[in-house]
Amino acid sequence: MRVCLDDRYLLEQGVVYLNGLHALVRLPIDQHRKDQRAGLHTATFISGYPGSPLGGYDLALQQAQSILEQHRILHVPGANEELAATAISGTQMLDNYSHSHVDGVVSFWYGKGPGVDRSGDAFKHGNFAGTSKHGAVVVL
């Protein structure tokens, strides 16, 4: 049996060994697989500020880019946390502005404490508006 580092993202059964960052990279992959099994055509959008306390998350996402693309996962680092949060809010507007190729978007935001303070309006409005029917937002 051949073992490779990408198994931490590719294996769907059995034991995989992950550190915390790898688990956060795998999470949207597993969500996409779950949605596919449910007959949903979803995508994932990940944005945040590079250099957040989740140091290395953005780098781990970049290293796994080819695998992420296979699961319709797009990582776009934000110029700051507020812009990243605003972009993520936009992914949840599919119920009002539907797209023929996506039933919903699961979004992940990452940032640091001062960025949370800066993103207050985007978080407040996003929380008030909620998510689309087949969407979700995870704040890390």
Side-chain angles (χ1 to χ4, degrees):
M1 177 169 83
R2 183 178 161 256
V3 177
C4 71
L5 287 175
D6 286 344
D7 286 349
R8 61 187 165 210
Y9 305 128
L10 299 175
L11 289 180
E12 294 187 47
Q13 296 181 355
V15 176
V16 293
Y17 295 96
L18 307 167
N19 65 28
L21 290 178
H22 297 144
L24 290 174
V25 173
R26 185 179 170 113
L27 180 61
I29 295 169
D30 286 343
Q31 181 63 48
H32 184 252
R33 289 174 178 146
K34 180 180 181 235
D35 288 345
Q36 278 188 312
R37 287 191 297 272
L40 296 172
H41 301 285
T42 60
T44 302
F45 180 73
I46 303 171
S47 190
Y49 186 68
S52 77
L54 292 172
Y57 182 49
D58 51 336
L59 300 175
L61 290 165
Q62 289 173 6
Q63 290 171 345
Q65 183 175 353
S66 63
I67 296 170
L68 298 178
E69 288 173 355
Q70 295 170 28
H71 294 277
R72 301 178 75 171
I73 299 168
L74 177 64
H75 171 234
V76 179
N80 60 49
E81 288 95 338
E82 183 178 13
L83 290 175
T86 301
I88 283 174
S89 292
T91 68
Q92 299 306 306
M93 296 183 179
L94 291 181
D95 293 342
N96 296 326
Y97 306 98
S98 62
H99 293 268
S100 61
H101 62 283
V102 176
D103 295 325
V105 177
V106 176
S107 294
F108 292 80
W109 177 92
Y110 58 93
K112 57 188 182 306
V116 171
D117 296 340
R118 178 186 176 112
S119 303
D121 274 354
F123 283 166
K124 178 182 176 183
H125 292 283
N127 189 48
F128 178 74
T131 62
S132 63
K133 180 177 179 182
H134 298 294
V137 174
V138 178
V139 175
L140 304 170

